[in-house]
Structure formats: structure tokens, C-alpha cells
């Protein structure tokens, strides 16, 4: 029997087993409780706030406490389920955290940051934490935060923060094989990844040179705490990015008791452990490992889109070490090993662009860092981080000969090692004024050897031996709060590339005005510059007989973009908020070819293939424009249900050396997301979550094929004048997720069914043409895919 036909049976029996467990434990007596601990600090300086009053918002229990001299607090018997907490402190805005999930299997730690009042008001102002509230104190516009819980709720996110981010307004993604983050029509290469306050390489499995996306992120919801996501005009502390910033934070392990997690699902088999080093020390550790699951799905009979099934594993950790009177030290790391093989019948423009060939790709990625946080008095803090990262990729392409033997066609061995040192100082002058400044220095060491068979000989395409590329960055910023309703932000970022002496100075400005109760207008402006990718800088040109090679792109300037943004938000009820943003981005100094052509670096990053090996002698004469409008309507989780609707209308254009304005490959025109979820309590110990996600966006841009010329030539011939003028039919997908959660003594069990593409819609992945038959052919994206997740926390 086909194992695919057995899969619903597996689901039914797993669900039946879970329900039996539920009713088995319902007969036991007593209400389960959990310990909730936390720390309250000043939002700007991170200085602990002693004497803060915290009350559990359940009047029937009458539970409350205050923070100690270190700003810490503990609730020992909080009922499981959703609970809310109120924080009040003289001289600070009151703060409320609503609907925190308390489970029996894991303790909860709340990190609370309170904002000092600008002026004493007669009435009490309560600031409620809500979905999307940004952690960064300097953020003004086009900023969104996300929590671990949101990542878990959203159907189709698969516990992947990158896929979760595609639900935000301004983010478009219509490629099921990759978690690319296309922000406002920009290449995903324009995104800056940060972890624990330091820039890192792309944390995605199978992220190659010139491409930032991959099938799945190495970091998942079991590791992360609240993090920030920026889509434009981001603060000056972030640099070397054109489109946005994903600023991720790993949570600390439990420093009071040891906890475990076991999980199996679409993203892999996973195991984690965390706990304290000793009873009397506040330090902790967290270690998490995972192995891929997609290869198992294919063996079960599912057709995985793209044909090539990735195999990957990753290991992540964080160590938290408080030092008495000397701040705290964090040591963190992520690492992954990726392997994929694409046979000749799986060659596509998306992954393996060389027809009739076998491709093998192995990648090793690792980041290790150490950070130190020091609170200086009650007004200042200093954050310093040192990190080391490495990425090693080996690619082999074998041609399939007429006798079916394999012959080496192309090979690439690439290693990039990076060392980064950064420091960031923040000082709160008073309740109205905060200043911040910092510097960072990066050193990249690169080794690469690429060769390909050409007219019977193996020719070297790129030879780099211990090449170094250093980048220096510095910033300064100031935020002034005229009143609690009106604030102004200004900053400046500068960077210098030692490779060719390129430099940039980038001002950033922002204004936020809460002109009427619950209504706010925001303005943002920023100039943002980014270095070119390594394949662009080190492209090599050969003479006619390919005996001599030289670099022709090493002196390229930064690509630069100006962001102009206007936003309006209205929190028209306790649970509902609507937000609009409109923007214009003006890009210039984009590398294009010297001779007239439609090529522009602005289109790189759309596929695993970076497309630069055959390009050389590039110049910074290209241009680009992105403009659009976005809407977000959200209902925060309240009374057991939530709703999120985001809509983006946009245009992304570029101007290459042939002096024609065209759509970029990322200009899909529109993207809409609708998410609806219900949390249905079954008992005091169990709940059932039902979540739906509907996506409707413009189809992927396709290269235009000249069919008549293709028939004459016997091979596909593209119409260069119409490149990216054609678009696949609209992308639509309905995802569904059901999660059953049950609490047992000291253990929480979750069982989830996650169904991607519930209606089995055939979204176009790529289009091709057979010159012999004159017929079009299509590769379609992921069809109906049911998966299950089982998580045990104890």
C-alpha cells in the first residue's frame, strides 16, 4: 500500500492517542500551577527597577508582588492557561502584558522594559504590550516585532521566523521552496541579519553566495525570544543594508531548573536541554539540535517541489553568565551542515540552471559570539560583542554524457571566515533625551576556487587565496521626546570599505506624533548603502585564449537607496488596530554592464544560482525605484481569537545600461495575507488552537521566451527586450493548522496538524518551452502537504 494513503490513518491514531491522554489526566484532582519569574528594567538603560508593583490580573486570586533590589520578581503559583500582568512604578508609564501562556511543562520568564514619564500627568496612562511593539528604543517607523508565540500560531510558518515574517505588510514571497524575505520590491540580499546585537551571515540552510534565502532557517521558535523586524528607514545603528533588518534575540535558558524539549515535525527531529549551572548562581545554558525531515517525506511518497530534497542538521546554544557588579556575559552559537543532490531530471532555472547535469552541494555554516552588557550607574549601558563566523561551500556539477557516464563540468570550493568586533554605548540624559553611538569593524577572509570545462580543458573561473575585505562602520543617534505624544529622532551612519576606499555617510530622521488619542502619524527618512556581494567584487575577466585573468569589478562603489515613508495608525479599540504606510525608495549606483544590456545586480538573489560568473567589467550606473502603499488591520488575541490582515500594493523598477525602465524580477505587484485563529479551552489543562492563513499575491516574474527563435534554433532563446515583462498567474494558497495542547504534571504535550496548500492549488514555480514540440511546460510549487508535529516539554 502507498505510504501516503496511510498518512491520514497516522494522524487519526495520533490524535486519538492524544485525546485519550487528555481524558486520562482530566480525572486527576487539583489545579496545575507554574512559577512565573521576571526582571523589570528601564527601557533605555537596562538598569534594574526595584520596587515595581506587579499584579496578576485575576481578581479572584488576589496575587501580587514587587521587584527586589535587582529588579527581579517571582510568582510561585500562577494557574496554567492565559494570564495577564500589570506593572506600575512611580515616575514610569504603567505597563500591561496580556494573555501570556502559562504551561505546566516549562517555567516562564518575563523581561519587562518600562518607559520613564516625560511629564507628570493627572490621569494614569497604561501602556499595554501588544503584538508588533518594537524592542528597539530608537525605532520610529516601518518596524515590527514578533514573539515566539506568534511564530507558533501562524499556519504555514513551520516555526521558521523568516517564513513568519512574510505575513507582515511590505513583505512578498511567492516561492514555496525558499524563505526569502523580499521587502518592498528589493532583492532579499538587501536584508541585514543580526543575532544578539551583531551582524551575522544568512542563518538559512543552503544560503549560497549572492543569495540569502533557503528552505528553512537554522533558528526556530524554540530558541528565540521577542525580536525586531524593520522594512525601511531603520535606525542608524544598522548599516550595510538596503531593504530591511531582522534583529533576532535568543532567549536565556531556565536558571532555576533543568528542562527538556523533544519535537518532531516538518522542520526536523529536534531535541533541546536547558538549565542552571548551580542552585546559587543565576547563570544558565541552552542547547538545541535538529535533523531534517523533508527527505523522510519524499521517501513516504510526497513530491517535494523542485525535486531536490535537502538534508540538513543544526546545533545552537546560548550560555548566560551574570557577573556580580560587572554586568553579564553571553556566549552564543549557531551551526549547520547542509547537503543536497539534484539529478539531471530535477534541473530547473531555480536551483540547477545547467540542463542534463547532476548537481551536488554541501555547505557548512557556523557563528560563535561572546557579548558583554554593562549597566553604568542608572543612566548608561555599554554592549560589546565579538563574533567569529565561517561558511564553506562545495559545489560539483557533472554532465551526463550520451553513454550515461558522468563527466565533471563545474566545481566550486568557497570558504569565507569573518571576524566582527562591535561596541554600542547608550546614555539617557533625562526622560526626554537619549543618545547612542557605536562602532564596528569586520574582517572577511575569502578563499575560492571555481573551474569549469571549456573546449576540452578545465579553466579557472575564480582563484582567490586568503583575500581580505574589511568594513568599518560607525553611528551616532539622538532621540528627543518633546512630550509623551511627540518625539523626534535623528541619526547618522558611516561606513568605509578598505578593499577599494569606498565610503558613505548616511543621515536618518524620524518624527512620531500621537496627535489624538490612539492615533499616530509617523515620518521617516533614511539613506542606506550596501557593499556588493563577493561574487560581484571578485568577478574575473579573461583574455581571448583564457590564459590571463584580472578583476574588473573590485572598485565598485556601494549601492545606495533613499527611503521616504509616511505612516498613520489608529488603535480604535482595546484589541483592534489599523495602520497605513506609503513609501518611495530611490536607488542608485547599482552595478550594470558597460555595454548596453538588461543586466543589473538589483535582480540577483531570486534563485540559488547567483548569476554573476559570466558578468564582468560592471559599473555603478544603474538605477532603481520602489514605491507602494501598505495596510495592516489586526486584532490582538482577546477572548480566544485573533485576526490579521495585511495588504501591499507596490511597484519595483530598474534602469540598466540599455537605458530602459523595466520591472525587476521581484515586482509581483501585490501581496495579501489574511490570518484567523481561535484558541478554544477544553478544560483548565487543555486547549485546541485552530488557525487559517490565506495568501494571495502576484505570480513570479518569468523570463520572456522568443518561441519562434527557439523553434529555429532548437534551444530556448529568451527575448532580452521583454525580460521580466511576463508574470505567472496569481499565487494563492490556503494553509491550516490545528494544535491540541495538554498539560500534565510537570509536562506539556502538543500535537499539531499543519496542512500547506489545503486546496491543492497549482501555483507556477517555473515555465519552460520545448522547441521541438512547440509546447509550454510548467513546474508547479508545493501542492497539498499535510504534516504533523509532536512536541513534549518537561
Amino acid at each position: 500500500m502507498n505510504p501516503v494513503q496511510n498518512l491520514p490513518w497516522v494522524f487519526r491514531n495520533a490524535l486519538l492517542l492524544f485525546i485519550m491522554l487528555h481524558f486520562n489526566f482530566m480525572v486527576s484532582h487539583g489545579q496545575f500551577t507554574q512559577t512565573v519569574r521576571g526582571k523589570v528594567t528601564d527601557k533605555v538603560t537596562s538598569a534594574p527597577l526595584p520596587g515595581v508593583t506587579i499584579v496578576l490580573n485575576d481578581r479572584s486570586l488576589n496575587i501580587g508582588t514587587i521587584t527586589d533590589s535587582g529588579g527581579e520578581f517571582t510568582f510561585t503559583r500562577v494557574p496554567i492557561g492565559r494570564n495577564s500582568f500589570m506593572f506600575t512604578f512611580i515616575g514610569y508609564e504603567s505597563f500591561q502584558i496580556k494573555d501570556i501562556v502559562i504551561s505546566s511543562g516549562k517555567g516562564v520568564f518575563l523581561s519587562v522594559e518600562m518607559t520613564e514619564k516625560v511629564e507628570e500627568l493627572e490621569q494614569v496612562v497604561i501602556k499595554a504590550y501588544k503584538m508588533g511593539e518594537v524592542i528597539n528604543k530608537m525605532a520610529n517607523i516601518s518596524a515590527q516585532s514578533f514573539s515566539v508565540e506568534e511564530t507558533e500560531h501562524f499556519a504555514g510558518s513551520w516555526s521558521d521566523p523568516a517564513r513568519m515574517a512574510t505575513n507582515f505588510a511590505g513583505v512578498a514571497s511567492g516561492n514555496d521552496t525558499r524563505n526569502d524575505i523580499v521587502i518592498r520590491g528589493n532583492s532579499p540580499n538587501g536584508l541585514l541579519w543580526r543575532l544578539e546585537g551583531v551582524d551575522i551571515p544568512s542563518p538559512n540552510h543552503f544560503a549560497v553566495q549572492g543569495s540569502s534565502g533557503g528552505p528553512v532557517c537554522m533558528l526556530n521558535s524554540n530558541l528565540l525570544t521577542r525580536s525586531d523586524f524593520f522594512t525601511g528607514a531603520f535606525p542608524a545603528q544598522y548599516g550595510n543594508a538596503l531593504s530591511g533588518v531582522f534583529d533576532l534575540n535568543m532567549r536565556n535558558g531556565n536558571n532555576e531548573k533543568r528542562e527538556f524539549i523533544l519535537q518532531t515535525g516538518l522542520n526536523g527531529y529536534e531535541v533541546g536541554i536547558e538549565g542552571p549551572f548551580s542552585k546559587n548562581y543565576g547563570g544558565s545554558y541552552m542547547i538545541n539540535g535538529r535533523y531534517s525531515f523533508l527527505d523522510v517525506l519524499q521517501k513516504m511518497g510526497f513530491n517535494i517541489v523542485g525535486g531536490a530534497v535537502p538534508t540538513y542538521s543544526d546545533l545552537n546554544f546560548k550560555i548566560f553568565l551574570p557577573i556580580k557588579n560587572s554586568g553579564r556575559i553571553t556566549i552564543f552559537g549557531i551551526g549547520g551542515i547542509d547537503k543536497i543532490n539534484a539529478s539531471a531530471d530535477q534541473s530547473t532555472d531555480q536551483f540547477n540552471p545547467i540542463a542534463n547535469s547532476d548537481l551536488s552541494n554541501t555547505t557548512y555554516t557556523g557563528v560563535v559570539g561572546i557579548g558583554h552588557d554593562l549597566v553604568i550607574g542608572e543612566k548608561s549601558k555599554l554592549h560589546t560583542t565579538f563574533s567569529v563566523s565561517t561558511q564553506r561551500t562545495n559545489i560539483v556539477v557533472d554532465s551526463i554524457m550520451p553513454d550515461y557516464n558522468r563527466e565533471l563540468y563545474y566545481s566550486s570550493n568557497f570558504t569565507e571566515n569573518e571576524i566582527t568586533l562591535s561596541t554600542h554605548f547608550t546614555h539617557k540624559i533625562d526622560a526626554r533625551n537619549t543618545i547612542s553611538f557605536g562602532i564596528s569593524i569586520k574582517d572577511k577572509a575569502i578563499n575560492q576556487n571555481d573551474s569549469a570545462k571549456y573546449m576540452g580543458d578545465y579553466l579557472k573561473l575564480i582563484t582567490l587565496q586568503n583575500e581580505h575585505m574589511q568594513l568599518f562602520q560607525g553611528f551616532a543617534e539622538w532621540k528627543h521626546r518633546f512630550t509623551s505624544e511627540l518625539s523626534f529622532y535623528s541619526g547618522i551612519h558611516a561606513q568605509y570599505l578598505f578593499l577599494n576606499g569606498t565610503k558613505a555617510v548616511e543621515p536618518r530622521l524620524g518624527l512620531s506624533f500621537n496627535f489624538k488619542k490612539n492615533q499616530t502619524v509617523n515620518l521617516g527618512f533614511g539613506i542606506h548603502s550596501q557593499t556588493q556581494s563577493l561574487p560581484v567584487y571578485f568577478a574575473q575577466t579573461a583574455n581571448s585564449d583564457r590564459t590571463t585573468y584580472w578583476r574588473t569589478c573590485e572598485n565598485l562603489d556601494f549601492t545606495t537607496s533613499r527611503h521616504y515613508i509616511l505612516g498613520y495608525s489608529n488603535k480604535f479599540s482595546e484589541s483592534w488596530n489599523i495602520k497605513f504606510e506609503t513609501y518611495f525608495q530611490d536607488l542608485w549606483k547599482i552595478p550594470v554592464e558597460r555595454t548596453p544590456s538588461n543586466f543589473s545586480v538589483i535582480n540577483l538573489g531570486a534563485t540559488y544560482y547567483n548569476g554573476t560568473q559570466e558578468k564582468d567589467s560592471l559599473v555603478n550606473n544603474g538605477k532603481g525605484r520602489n514605491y507602494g502603499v501598505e495596510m495592516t488591520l489586526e486584532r490582538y488575541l482577546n477572548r480566544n481569537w485573533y485576526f490579521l490582515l495585511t495588504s501591499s500594493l507596490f511597484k519595483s523598477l530598474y534602469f540598466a545600461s540599455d537605458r530602459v525602465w523595466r520591472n525587476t524580477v521581484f515586482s509581483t505587484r501585490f501581496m495579501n495575507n489574511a490570518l484567523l485563529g481561535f484558541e478554544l479551552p477544553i478544560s483548565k489543562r487543555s486547549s485546541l488552537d485552530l488557525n487559517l492563513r490565506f495568501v494571495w499575491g502576484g505570480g513570479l516574474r518569468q523570463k520572456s521566451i522568443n518561441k519562434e527563435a527557439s523553434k529555429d534554433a532548437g534551444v530556448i532563446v529568451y527575448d532580452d527586450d521583454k525580460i521580466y515583462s511576463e508574470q505567472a498567474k496569481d499565487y494563492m494558497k490556503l494553509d491550516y493548522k490545528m494544535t491540541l495542547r495538554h498539560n500534565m504534571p510537570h509536562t506539556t504535550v502538543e500535537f499539531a496538524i499543519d496542512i500547506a496548500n489545503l486546496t491543492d492549488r497549482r501555483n507556477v514555480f517555473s515555465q519552460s518551452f520545448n522547441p521541438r514540440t512547440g509546447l509550454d511546460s510548467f513546474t508547479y510549487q508545493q501542492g497539498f502537504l499535510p504534516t504533523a508535529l509532536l512536541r513534549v516539554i518537561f
Side-chain angles (χ1 to χ4, degrees):
M1 184 179 293
N2 189 329
V4 176
Q5 296 174 346
N6 283 338
L7 196 58
W9 179 87
V10 174
F11 283 156
R12 287 196 301 269
N13 282 271
L15 184 57
L16 178 61
L17 174 62
F18 196 82
I19 293 174
M20 290 173 61
L21 284 172
H22 163 67
F23 284 107
N24 178 46
F25 282 96
M26 277 187 66
V27 300
S28 61
H29 298 284
Q31 169 67 53
F32 291 156
T33 62
Q34 182 58 269
T35 298
V36 175
R37 300 180 300 115
K39 185 172 183 177
V40 184
T41 60
D42 183 278
K43 183 175 178 64
V44 175
T45 66
S46 297
L49 298 179
V52 176
T53 300
I54 308 111
V55 177
L56 178 66
N57 285 8
D58 188 333
R59 295 180 180 178
S60 63
L61 296 175
N62 194 28
I63 298 177
T65 186
I66 61 173
T67 57
D68 60 19
S69 59
E72 298 182 347
F73 65 91
T74 300
F75 287 97
T76 56
R77 297 184 61 82
V78 178
I80 62 171
R82 288 196 174 270
N83 290 273
S84 300
F85 300 85
M86 174 70 77
F87 299 77
T88 57
F89 188 50
I90 297 175
Y92 281 75
E93 297 175 359
S94 298
F95 191 85
Q96 186 177 25
I97 298 181
K98 303 180 69 175
D99 294 315
I100 296 295
V101 175
I102 311 297
S103 64
S104 60
K106 183 173 181 56
V108 175
F109 188 91
L110 301 177
S111 295
V112 178
E113 296 177 325
M114 298 186 70
T115 302
E116 188 176 0
K117 291 179 181 178
V118 173
E119 53 196 6
E120 290 297 329
L121 303 176
E122 293 183 2
Q123 71 272 24
V124 176
V125 178
I126 298 177
K127 182 180 180 184
Y129 163 74
K130 62 181 185 297
M131 182 175 70
E133 183 177 1
V134 182
I135 301 170
N136 190 294
K137 59 194 170 296
M138 296 293 185
N140 176 70
I141 198 170
S142 296
Q144 181 92 26
S145 79
F146 73 93
S147 69
V148 173
E149 186 180 351
E150 291 163 19
T151 308
E152 286 297 307
H153 265 307
F154 293 167
S157 295
W158 298 342
S159 300
D160 185 332
R163 292 186 185 273
M164 186 279 302
T166 61
N167 295 296
F168 294 148
V171 182
S173 178
N175 187 340
D176 293 339
T177 68
R178 294 157 58 84
N179 58 11
D180 286 319
I181 300 177
V182 177
I183 300 175
R184 293 175 173 174
N186 289 280
S187 166
N189 294 335
L191 177 71
L192 171 66
W193 288 95
R194 301 218 342 158
L195 179 65
E196 294 294 306
V198 67
D199 300 356
I200 62 170
S202 170
N204 289 305
H205 287 288
F206 301 99
V208 299
Q209 297 180 72
S211 174
S212 66
V216 65
C217 187
M218 297 179 197
L219 295 162
N220 63 67
S221 61
N222 292 325
L223 304 166
L224 300 174
T225 184
R226 283 183 58 216
S227 302
D228 283 346
F229 182 69
F230 299 87
T231 57
F234 31 90
Q237 72 180 83
Y238 304 112
N240 198 30
L242 285 180
S243 63
V245 179
F246 216 152
D247 195 353
L248 299 169
N249 296 297
M250 297 175 72
R251 64 180 179 85
N252 295 331
N254 192 322
N255 63 359
E256 286 198 346
K257 67 176 183 177
R258 187 172 291 109
E259 295 177 337
F260 301 87
I261 181 170
L262 300 175
Q263 177 176 308
T264 180
L266 180 65
N267 283 349
Y269 304 98
E270 189 168 343
V271 59
I273 181 173
E274 61 184 275
F277 289 104
S278 67
K279 280 188 175 181
N280 300 321
Y281 179 58
S284 65
Y285 62 87
M286 177 181 65
I287 305 172
N288 187 283
R290 180 174 57 173
Y291 180 77
S292 63
F293 183 68
L294 288 178
D295 52 339
V296 177
L297 278 180
Q298 189 178 58
K299 291 174 182 177
M300 293 176 68
F302 282 100
N303 179 28
I304 305 301
V305 62
V309 178
T311 299
Y312 57 84
S313 57
D314 51 52
L315 180 68
N316 308 284
F317 69 89
K318 183 178 181 182
I319 298 172
F320 175 69
L321 303 171
I323 305 173
K324 189 174 181 180
N325 301 323
S326 298
R328 61 184 186 181
I329 291 176
T330 55
I331 304 172
F332 60 92
I334 62 174
I337 302 175
D338 314 324
K339 296 181 180 180
I340 193 166
N341 295 298
S343 61
D345 59 352
Q346 297 165 342
S347 298
T348 69
D349 288 341
Q350 291 289 325
F351 184 76
N352 180 10
I354 305 171
N356 199 35
S357 66
D358 286 348
L359 181 144
S360 174
N361 184 341
T362 303
T363 303
Y364 302 88
T365 303
V367 179
V368 177
I370 180 170
H372 179 249
D373 290 284
L374 180 64
V375 176
I376 306 172
E378 297 181 352
K379 297 289 187 179
S380 306
K381 68 176 179 179
L382 180 67
H383 176 76
T384 304
T385 307
F386 175 78
S387 67
V388 178
S389 66
T390 184
Q391 185 179 55
R392 181 159 57 94
T393 303
N394 175 257
I395 301 174
V396 175
V397 179
D398 293 324
S399 294
I400 308 301
M401 307 307 291
D403 58 1
Y404 297 102
N405 287 324
R406 290 174 173 80
E407 185 174 292
L408 180 63
Y409 171 76
Y410 170 79
S411 67
S412 174
N413 291 282
F414 169 78
T415 301
E416 175 185 313
N417 299 316
E418 180 174 299
I419 298 175
T420 303
L421 176 64
S422 65
T423 185
H424 180 179
F425 178 78
T426 302
H427 177 67
K428 183 170 70 173
I429 300 173
D430 51 36
R432 297 179 184 271
N433 297 281
T434 299
I435 59 173
S436 180
F437 55 86
I439 59 173
S440 71
I441 182 73
K442 298 181 186 179
D443 177 71
K444 288 185 179 182
I446 305 127
N447 290 277
Q448 185 170 359
N449 290 284
D450 288 12
S451 61
K453 192 169 185 180
Y454 178 77
M455 298 183 65
D457 294 324
Y458 288 98
L459 301 177
K460 293 182 178 180
L461 302 179
I462 298 178
T463 301
L464 303 174
Q465 297 296 332
N466 200 32
E467 298 285 348
H468 284 263
M469 190 171 78
Q470 295 98 3
L471 180 68
F472 173 83
Q473 299 180 82
F475 74 91
E477 50 191 358
W478 167 53
K479 187 168 187 177
H480 178 71
R481 301 171 66 200
F482 295 98
T483 66
S484 58
E485 292 81 22
L486 179 63
S487 65
F488 171 75
Y489 166 83
S490 64
I492 190 165
H493 181 274
Q495 56 188 26
Y496 180 84
L497 181 64
F498 289 86
L499 178 70
N500 55 23
T502 304
K503 55 183 176 295
V505 178
E506 308 158 2
R508 317 277 174 88
L509 298 171
L511 183 69
S512 179
F513 180 32
N514 186 196
F515 66 95
K516 190 179 289 188
K517 184 179 180 180
N518 297 327
Q519 296 188 57
T520 304
V521 171
N522 298 287
L523 297 171
F525 168 79
I527 296 180
H528 308 270
S529 299
Q530 186 178 37
T531 59
Q532 311 304 329
S533 65
L534 295 178
V536 174
Y537 277 125
F538 295 115
Q540 294 181 330
T541 302
N543 58 3
S544 58
D545 58 0
R546 292 186 175 269
T547 58
T548 304
Y549 296 81
W550 63 95
R551 299 174 192 167
T552 56
C553 300
E554 195 173 66
N555 292 319
L556 285 171
D557 203 342
F558 299 125
T559 294
T560 306
S561 178
R562 278 187 290 255
H563 294 193
Y564 305 87
I565 307 172
L566 171 63
Y568 166 79
S569 64
N570 185 348
K571 191 173 186 300
F572 54 88
S573 76
E574 180 182 356
S575 301
W576 286 91
N577 182 66
I578 190 168
K579 179 172 66 174
F580 295 93
E581 284 193 2
T582 183
Y583 64 89
F584 178 82
Q585 297 178 355
D586 179 26
L587 295 84
W588 73 99
K589 295 194 293 187
I590 303 169
V592 295
E593 292 187 287
R594 292 180 184 273
T595 57
S597 78
N598 60 28
F599 173 81
S600 174
V601 167
I602 200 173
N603 292 308
L604 299 183
T607 67
Y608 289 98
Y609 173 62
N610 61 48
T612 59
Q613 284 91 340
E614 72 279 12
K615 305 298 181 183
D616 57 27
S617 303
L618 302 180
V619 292
N620 292 100
N621 292 337
K623 301 177 184 179
R625 292 175 186 163
N626 302 319
Y627 53 91
V629 61
E630 302 161 1
M631 184 272 291
T632 299
L633 175 64
E634 55 187 333
R635 184 190 194 275
Y636 316 125
L637 182 64
N638 186 24
R639 296 183 179 178
N640 302 321
W641 71 283
Y642 74 89
F643 176 74
L644 175 65
L645 174 66
T646 63
S647 181
S648 306
L649 299 174
F650 65 97
K651 193 80 169 177
S652 176
L653 304 172
Y654 79 102
F655 183 84
S657 56
D658 61 0
R659 306 186 65 79
V660 177
W661 282 99
R662 294 184 173 89
N663 286 294
T664 71
V665 67
F666 307 106
S667 186
T668 55
R669 298 184 295 117
F670 68 96
M671 179 61 67
N672 302 298
N673 293 276
L675 295 96
L676 176 65
F678 299 90
E679 186 176 278
L680 308 176
I682 300 175
S683 70
K684 291 183 178 181
R685 303 177 190 175
S686 302
S687 64
L688 179 67
D689 293 356
L690 304 176
N691 298 275
L692 284 172
R693 175 184 182 240
F694 177 67
V695 184
W696 176 26
L700 297 174
R701 290 278 171 182
Q702 308 285 332
K703 292 182 179 179
S704 179
I705 299 173
N706 188 327
K707 296 183 178 180
E708 293 302 319
S710 298
K711 290 178 182 178
D712 294 339
V715 295
I716 294 179
V717 177
Y718 293 103
D719 189 339
D720 289 341
D721 291 335
K722 296 181 180 180
I723 189 170
Y724 306 136
S725 61
E726 297 181 2
Q727 197 172 359
K729 65 178 181 180
D730 289 355
Y731 176 92
M732 291 185 185
K733 189 171 68 165
L734 179 65
D735 296 328
Y736 169 76
K737 184 177 182 181
M738 180 183 71
T739 303
L740 184 61
R741 184 180 298 107
H742 181 70
N743 290 283
M744 297 178 283
H746 311 295
T747 302
T748 300
V749 180
E750 295 179 11
F751 176 74
I753 297 175
D754 203 334
I755 302 177
N757 200 354
L758 185 64
T759 62
D760 199 27
R761 178 179 169 86
R762 303 181 78 192
N763 292 305
V764 174
F765 181 67
S766 63
Q767 179 179 353
S768 189
F769 177 74
N770 190 325
R772 291 176 295 176
T773 63
L775 298 177
D776 293 323
S777 61
F778 298 90
T779 301
Y780 293 97
Q781 305 212 49
Q782 188 62 62
F784 176 81
L785 178 62
T787 61
L789 179 143
L790 179 63
R791 176 187 292 139
V792 181
I793 304 171
F794 58 99

